[in-house]
Amino acid sequence: MKIGRNLIQLVILCLLGVSVALTLVLPELPGIESRRRTLEISVLIREADTALWSNARLGMEQAAVDLGAELRFLPLAQDNDYASQAALLQREAKGGADAVIVVPADPEGLAAFLEEQSIELPVVTMESPMPGGRACFTPENGEMGRALAGAFLEDRRGERVLLLDTASRSTGVAQRLQACLQTLREAGVPFEVQKAEAQSLQRELPGLLGQTGAGAVIAFDYAATEALASVAQELPEQPLLYGVGATGAIAACLEKGTIAAAAAWSDYAAGYSSVQEAARRSRGERSLNTPQLGFRIVRGENLYEPDNQKLFFPVMY
Amino acid sequence: MNRTIKSCFSRLCIKGLAVLLLLAILLGGCTGGSEREESVLRLGIAVYQQEDTFISTVVQHMERLAREEELEKDIKISLTITDGRSNQTVQLEQMDRFLDQGCDVICVNIVDRTAAAVLIDKAEEAAVPLIFFNRQPVEEDMERWEQVYYVGAKAAESGRLQGQIVRDLWQNERGQVDRNGNDVLEYVMLEGEPGHQDTLLRTKYAIDALTSVGIRVRKLASESANWNRAQAAQKMSLWLEEQGGDIEAVFANNDDMALGAIDACLSAGLSAESMPLVVGVDATPPALEAIRAGTLKGTVLNDSEGMAKTMIDLSLALSRGEDPASAAKLEEGHYIWLPYRRIEAKDLSREE
């Protein structure tokens, strides 16, 4: 009887020991490890100012909460510094990131770098697709460029158009510019393309307008559009201004009429989808078939239509 | 008897061995599990309104400095930044999320400076140090817990320096400033949030800097524009309609509002030379551009980079259990004060 009781106690103790050992070992097994552990996802934008992506960030953070991920936002010290972005990505890969979301300064260069360095990490992009079939969350850039040209054609009074090339290595931005340029060419509108840095646009724009004689300006990325928004009021003869993005500053300018129209889309949805895709890829799951993001041409007069309002103010308190 | 002793002994051995085995597994598990966590500093940063240009600049500096520290010290620093959108309830929820995520230190730019007690109590309960910045909680709340800190600058000083910019312009360029030649500075004041400590102190001390040296002043109008550029532009447009050329100076409690006043002047067709003299506080990048353009006559540098560096250094020290006084100059155990500095056109090359 006593021996029997001892044996039972011993067996129970051993079972407890084995179950503790199992709880320690199980999470380390492949497949199971990544499901249970919080994923580390690094987000590399191509600008120094993360506020440009604040709506996307809201979407990303919500997705991170829903899917058990931790985000690291890594802006660049200088806008469009491709080399720094590549170095950052390499560092994040070495540092144990499970996936990376990138707004690539140079998508082709970055794809070549990843291959060269044999960096095997799920990479999801926003704004520009990267060669190699990696997932990208952006509206169709060519269509956007054509729509911006269309918005100008509705308003034109015979002026020359200045097209700002502020991120030429970003293929997504370049596609917008090229499509817009092509549409203007077909419509017989005189235009000029000028390279500029978004960070110094506030200072340089009056000079560029004087130099080109342009009466309208079209920007193709967030930073350049925000720069237009900040300088709009100071320009002596109000040119027609067009751009992209759904930030607060752009909304304020649309309301005042200093920006005539902007192509806007749900950054929140783009951010959420990119984290969702990054999480799925890092867990070895199949990609979801997310439909292409749409965009809308928004003007002051339709800014507060419900569908447009959601783009600029995705989270209301 | 021998059998009894033997059986007791063998029972003891078996149980003792089993307990030892369990302890060994548990200890081994605990050590292995915590290794990864120690190498990451998780910082939660809750701002009152990310659209505020100064706050956005502080956040940018923090992100940049965090990356530099990572390279230098071979550690990982994860920043989670949330925007309270001027809603204290939202900011409370964001704080809860930081605590759930396991943040090591939380930095808060509080929406309502009288509501700090709740945040402090939550942080104390979770034993997570709390650093307030730029918007100073009331003193009694700061005393609730020893691991609460404030990083900022003394608002009275910013008002004084702003007033001194106008004082010097009045004394050295009287003809341009005193447009109607009546030897009285006629001004309007764009104020920050009503009841905010910075609003009260900057407003008071800016004017005191003039009256204390015998300059006669007359307030034409004064209203709150809530630190906001668009609101300031609206107020200024109205004042320009009502007061027209009578306005000789515009004091704004921050640069965003100063730029709003400039927006209104430009919309009204005034040039940099014909608009009233406008002064702000913060020395944000757009304000420095406006100084270069000649529309803003001066501002007061609120050291956003210094603020960001202090918060990163302090967070690192706190997360390692080090004495916070080793990372920053603490006053009264809780306060780290950063100095303000005047910025005018002649100072601009230093800021570039």
Side-chain angles (χ1 to χ4, degrees), chain B residues 76-132:
Chain B
K76 226 176 198 179
I77 303 177
S78 264
L79 303 184
T80 305
I81 296 154
T82 58
D83 183 354
R85 303 211 172 195
S86 297
N87 186 317
Q88 188 59 61
T89 309
V90 166
Q91 197 171 64
L92 256 172
E93 288 167 5
Q94 290 165 350
M95 170 96 171
D96 286 336
R97 228 173 76 195
F98 286 157
L99 293 171
D100 287 341
Q101 283 171 350
C103 284
D104 300 296
V105 180
I106 297 175
C107 300
V108 179
N109 176 231
I110 196 166
V111 174
D112 176 0
R113 63 181 289 266
T114 64
V118 179
L119 297 177
I120 293 168
D121 290 347
K122 281 180 186 276
E124 186 180 7
E125 202 183 312
V128 173
L130 196 52
I131 303 172
F132 291 99

Side-chain angles (χ1 to χ4, degrees), chain A residues 6 9-10 13 20 24 37 40 49-50 57-58 61 70 72-74 91 95 233-234 248 317, chain B residues 11 14-15 18 25 29 36 42 51 60 63 67 70-71 76-78 81 85 90 263 266-267:
Chain A
N6 284 344
Q9 285 173 351
L10 185 58
L13 277 170
V20 166
L24 289 167
R37 186 168 57 81
E40 275 186 24
D49 184 4
T50 54
R57 193 168 184 159
L58 282 172
E61 284 173 353
E70 189 174 342
R72 275 165 57 77
F73 285 88
L74 302 164
R91 215 180 82 204
Q233 286 231 250
E234 293 170 28
Y317 296 107
Chain B
R11 269 205 308 271
I14 288 163
K15 285 180 184 173
I25 291 168
R36 189 172 171 214
R42 286 184 177 81
E51 272 181 7
Q60 278 184 56
E63 285 173 330
R67 302 289 82 80
E70 284 188 331
L71 282 170
K76 226 176 198 179
I77 303 177
S78 264
I81 296 154
R85 303 211 172 195
V90 166
D263 290 343
L266 292 170
S267 289

